[in-house]
Amino acid sequence: MPGYAWVLEVRPGYEVEYLKRHDEIWPEMLETLRAAGIRNYNIFRHGLTLFGFFETDDLEATKAYLRTSEVDKRWGEWMAPIMKIEIDPTTNYPYLLPKQFYMA
């Protein structure tokens, strides 16, 4: 299954709040991610930098599903004040990182 990664940032002073919100992630947000085809989703933090990795069979279908999701929209609005997110203007989605190495 193809994997994808992104890098975002937590705004200074919101590190604990970011963790709290993910510790208490809405059940409907988890359902939305699964319905979008996302699996094996992990987020790591180093200082203010967040590194996310997820797998999906069809990235375009996943992005299309999330674009129409009211739950994803509410989650994004709720998280926006505590995060810095760079959106790729060509995809209207956070920048995805190009894979540099893979070991099975």
Side-chain angles (χ1 to χ4, degrees):
M1 174 177 304
Y4 302 91
W6 50 257
V7 174
L8 302 173
E9 289 184 44
V10 176
R11 293 187 189 279
Y14 288 100
E15 300 89 339
V16 172
E17 181 63 22
Y18 179 88
L19 180 59
K20 180 180 184 292
R21 290 184 187 195
H22 281 81
D23 284 346
E24 300 170 358
I25 192 169
W26 311 334
E28 62 268 30
M29 187 64 216
L30 290 173
E31 291 170 18
T32 297
L33 293 170
R34 287 185 187 104
I38 293 176
R39 292 183 290 288
N40 193 24
Y41 194 0
N42 295 270
I43 301 173
F44 303 88
R45 185 174 66 81
H46 177 72
L48 298 175
T49 302
L50 299 167
F51 171 80
F53 173 84
F54 64 94
E55 296 174 333
T56 185
D57 290 324
D58 186 339
L59 181 61
E60 293 310 313
T62 294
K63 292 191 302 188
Y65 185 93
L66 293 174
R67 271 194 294 273
T68 63
S69 167
E70 284 299 317
V71 173
D72 189 59
K73 180 182 177 192
R74 283 190 295 121
W75 180 265
E77 290 170 351
W78 191 52
M79 296 300 289
I82 69 170
M83 296 180 65
K84 291 170 58 178
I85 302 172
E86 284 190 64
I87 300 294
D88 181 342
T90 62
T91 64
N92 200 31
Y93 196 76
Y95 285 95
L96 294 176
L97 305 176
K99 188 180 290 185
Q100 303 294 298
F101 173 77
Y102 171 76
M103 184 183 94

